[in-house]
Amino acid sequence: MNVLLVSIDSLRRDFLGAYRDRPRPLDYDVATPNLDRFAGRATVFDTHYAGSLFCMPTRREWLAGVQEFPWRGWGPIEPFDVTVPRAARTTGTFTRLVTDHYHYFQHGAAGYYEDYNAFEFVRGHEFDAWQASPRAPDERLLAQAAATSADGVGFVDRAQYARNVAGFDEEDETDFFAPQVFSDAAAFVASADWDDWFCYVDSFDVHQPFHCPEPYASMYTDEDPRDPDLSFWPRWGRVDGGQGAITERELAFARSQFAGKVTMVDRWFGTLLDALDDRGLWDETAVVVTSDHGYSLGDHGHVGKVHMPMYDVLARTPLLVHHPAGDGGRVTDLTAAVDLHPTLLDLLDARSAGDHPHGRSLLPFLTPGDGSGGAAATGGDDDAAPHRRWALYGEWGSGACVTDGRYTYLHPCDPAEPALAHSTEMLNPRGVFHPRTPEPDAEAGRFLPYADAPVWRFEGEAVRRHPDPLLFDVEADPGQREDVAAERPAVASRMRDLLGEALAELDAPKSFADRLGVTARAD
Amino acid sequence: MEYCVANVAGDAREGVVALPTETRAYPCLERCGTCRDTPFLVVDGAVVTAGSHRTLCERIGGEVA
């Protein structure tokens, strides 16, 4: 069987017709006809949560099956990881990657593309170190990118984006990133001459900058989308002050450009569906569509993602899966991003080549006719046992969050206690995009319960996103408008215990649990 | 006032959080070029740099006072 994995970075679940009629922060509809068309032939997972955040940590969950954030943050594939493409190749499956996700090729990452038989990298998105000229990009582009200067040579410079797209025609969408990525993927699907293949289409869109070509730039706004006073790249932070301060006009514009990107991605995702239709591949191809996380567009008073509490706008992600033997429908069971790993291995018949204990395969939900059902998913004898009792999510060096599918519990950390990073590399626990620096105080040891190898262990700065635990009843309050931690102390206590159980089942470091003030198993 | 924990770490953080103004810690402020090169804070949305965090705190503490 072929397997097509599509991830659309930063795609909010509420922007898809499969989940919600209208995006939560908008007073207009956003067109996603192709993703909706796909949902019509897919199994839609209603209660799917991210795990390790953001961006690359999610990809390690998907590709290597490691729920890494209790142990480390953004970093490379480790020597003891077996990625999905590596495992797939042991069964004779041809593997290919197409992406514009430049983080793969940046400081802080390694191992995410090397295991494929072939890969295509579309250059130029966000801070990709691509173009060397023009030295002074168009002033209007610089202004809309909120770039402070075009004279610097430092890392992570917004002027680089303006330099990268200086030659793009904003009236020709084929110059832009998602059209290039999906066109390439569609061409592969249309011509692939392998008995079985695994293709991962990793679209960096709809990630910022929200710079759209026409018609998408004007599709959801009456503003002039090329007005230099309107940024397509808002700074993240609180909307009411600080670097994230933003007027209503500016926020409305940013939302319209995000929406435009969603419709653009949808349009070109449609070319993939067309390729599958034209070659009649649906009966021999599993297709997985998901996102790594969302993005706050003023939700809860924030723009962005990395600094704020892990609300569902960030962590509750879309997952739609077509299986040739499946009959679609909706799954309400709690599922997690790391579950994609064993699921992909099962689809590729490569489970024995690269299994990892953190994920739980979703295959029984996709093929209900084979009798394997819920019991096989949980490994227990109880046919009514849920797929998961908990899903754990968060970012390394901060607090931790847990959900049981009805409640989400966001637990802060003590920022005075350093966080511990564990890796075979002296990765930067902070400043991940900078060149690495040595950790002179690192100690070596067999600190990982899931790897028979020594790793370095060293300290990094912790960050507290919110001062107190937050509890939300997402069934009654899907927008998470009301924190009920004080109103329902018994539930908060139960969820805190569930967090401890989750950490214990993962065999997470005692140091992590201690920093959270939660009881779990000892090191 | 906002600061990046990669830039303001250890003893420097003690001085920053002791300033008589609201401070917020970020895992990243997306000012990575500046962050790597010099001590900085973001004050009312604007990047402020100095030769040391101590100088930054003295400057901002004086302005706040």
Side-chain angles (χ1 to χ4, degrees), chain A residues 3 5 62 84 198 288 340-349:
Chain A
V3 177
L5 170 63
W62 290 339
V84 167
F198 168 65
V288 180
L340 279 186
H341 179 257
T343 305
L344 292 169
L345 293 180
D346 278 340
L347 292 171
L348 292 162
D349 198 21

Side-chain angles (χ1 to χ4, degrees), chain A residues 31-36 261-271:
Chain A
T32 55
N34 293 293
L35 286 160
D36 295 347
K261 268 211 172 186
V262 171
T263 297
M264 179 176 72
V265 166
D266 179 87
R267 148 81 175 95
W268 290 91
F269 170 76
T271 65

Side-chain angles (χ1 to χ4, degrees), chain A residues 120-151:
Chain A
E120 184 64 45
F121 175 30
V122 174
R123 301 300 305 272
H125 214 314
E126 204 184 31
F127 301 111
D128 183 23
W130 188 37
Q131 294 291 3
S133 62
R135 174 175 176 173
D138 180 76
E139 288 290 332
R140 190 267 304 169
L141 263 179
L142 287 173
Q144 287 199 284
T148 52
S149 166
D151 293 331

